[in-house]
């Protein structure tokens, strides 16, 4: 049963890559408007978890519920998911290519849920993925025009508002190579917000930034938090986790070991593995 005050609920999430068990039964819930930081050693599954949350990776087993959309798969369906994942972004796939009507109906139902979930989740990638040949403005209006069928004037008005929100209103005509790292990150956030997501996910958004630029990006996240945006950030920075989060989750070996409020997480960690990690990072 999913509680009404939780915008995100993940239960028993498993993910495999080439026979390797990456995520080993993730359970977590996030309230509407909450800011959650996920920390842990490299390779523990943090990024894979985020990618499952917006269906860049398809879960092998478990349930993901986000903003009214529920994806659920059982262990016996892993083989089907493997086939589906190879085809989910294949626009050339048609009904005539399906082996059976029932299989195709199953594909279409799952595809529709994936599409609905992706429309509710925005994601800021580690490498940003801004289109280098497009201006800042054109980077932001592209998806609303292509995916949501907005007119150029509609998309432009929204884009200008978002660029003002992130402090980039004077940079509409610049290209990505003309921006600093912090500026590019803020443009990428505006681009994600242009799709009006209910959840924002960030994968190490400040890892490549100089210390003086990190504050620019963090300020945008804090403003979104004040406005009630639900946000999850994967970060190695304990300072970001401490200064921006309502709660912190520690991951190790594909599992969430401990979750608590930011204050208690740093002052009263319950699990020895969490304490060891904090000692390592603080020392």
């Amino acid at each position: 049963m999913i509680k009404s005050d939780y915008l995100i609920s993940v239960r028993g999430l498993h993910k495999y890559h080439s026979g390797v068990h990456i995520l080993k039964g993730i359970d977590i819930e996030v309230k509407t408007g909450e800011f959650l930081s996920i920390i842990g050693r490299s390779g523990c599954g943090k990024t894979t978890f985020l990618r499952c949350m917006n269906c860049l990776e398809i879960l092998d087993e478990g349930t993901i519920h986000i903003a009214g959309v529920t994806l659920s798969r059982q262990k016996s369906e892993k083989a089907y998911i493997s086939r589906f994942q190879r085809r989910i972004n294949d626009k050339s796939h048609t009904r005539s290519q399906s082996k059976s009507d029932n299989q195709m109906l199953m594909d279409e139902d799952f595809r529709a849920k994936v599409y609905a979930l992706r429309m509710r989740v925005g994601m800021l990638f580690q490498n940003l993925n801004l289109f280098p040949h497009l201006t800042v403005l054109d980077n932001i209006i592209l998806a609303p025009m292509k995916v949501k069928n907005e007119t150029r004037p509609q998309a432009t008005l929204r884009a200008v508002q978002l660029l003002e929100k992130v402090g980039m209103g004077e940079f509409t005509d610049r290209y990505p190579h003309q921006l600093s790292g912090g500026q590019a990150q803020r443009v990428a956030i505006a681009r994600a917000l242009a799709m009006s997501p209910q959840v924002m996910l960030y994968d190490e958004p400040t890892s490549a930034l100089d210390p003086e630029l990190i504050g620019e990006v963090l300020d945008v996240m804090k403003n979104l938090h004040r406005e009630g945006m639900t946000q999850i950030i994967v970060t190695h920075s304990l300072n970001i986790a401490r200064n921006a989060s309502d709660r912190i989750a520690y991951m190790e070996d594909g599992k969430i070991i401990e979750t608590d409020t930011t204050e208690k997480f740093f002052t009263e960690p319950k699990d020895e593995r969490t304490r060891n990690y904090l000692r390592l990072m603080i020392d």
Side-chain angles (χ1 to χ4, degrees), residues 4 12 21 66 77 84 115 147 180 182 195 211 227 270 272 274:
S4 59
H21 200 177
I66 300 178
E77 296 173 295
F84 176 78
Y115 178 80
V147 179
S180 70
M195 296 299 289
E227 294 174 4
K270 299 179 181 65
E272 182 62 26
T274 306

Side-chain angles (χ1 to χ4, degrees), residues 212-240:
E212 63 269 22
L213 301 179
I214 292 176
E216 298 179 8
V217 179
L218 194 56
D219 285 343
V220 173
M221 295 178 187
K222 288 180 176 180
N223 287 336
L224 291 174
H225 187 35
R226 284 190 285 268
E227 294 174 4
M229 175 66 73
T230 306
Q231 301 176 90
I232 300 176
I233 182 173
V234 161
T235 181
H236 281 103
S237 171
L238 295 187
N239 284 332
I240 289 177

Side-chain angles (χ1 to χ4, degrees), residues 130-131 134-145 152-163 168-176 179 187 190-191 194:
L130 292 175
F131 294 109
L134 297 180
T135 64
V136 164
L137 180 64
D138 286 338
N139 260 284
I140 295 174
I141 67 176
L142 181 62
M145 290 174 62
R152 188 176 183 89
Q154 287 174 325
T156 298
L157 177 61
R158 172 73 169 149
V160 170
Q161 292 171 342
L162 289 171
L163 286 169
M168 294 294 293
E170 299 179 0
F171 294 79
T172 56
D173 295 328
R174 295 202 185 181
Y175 287 86
L179 305 175
V187 170
R191 183 177 64 174

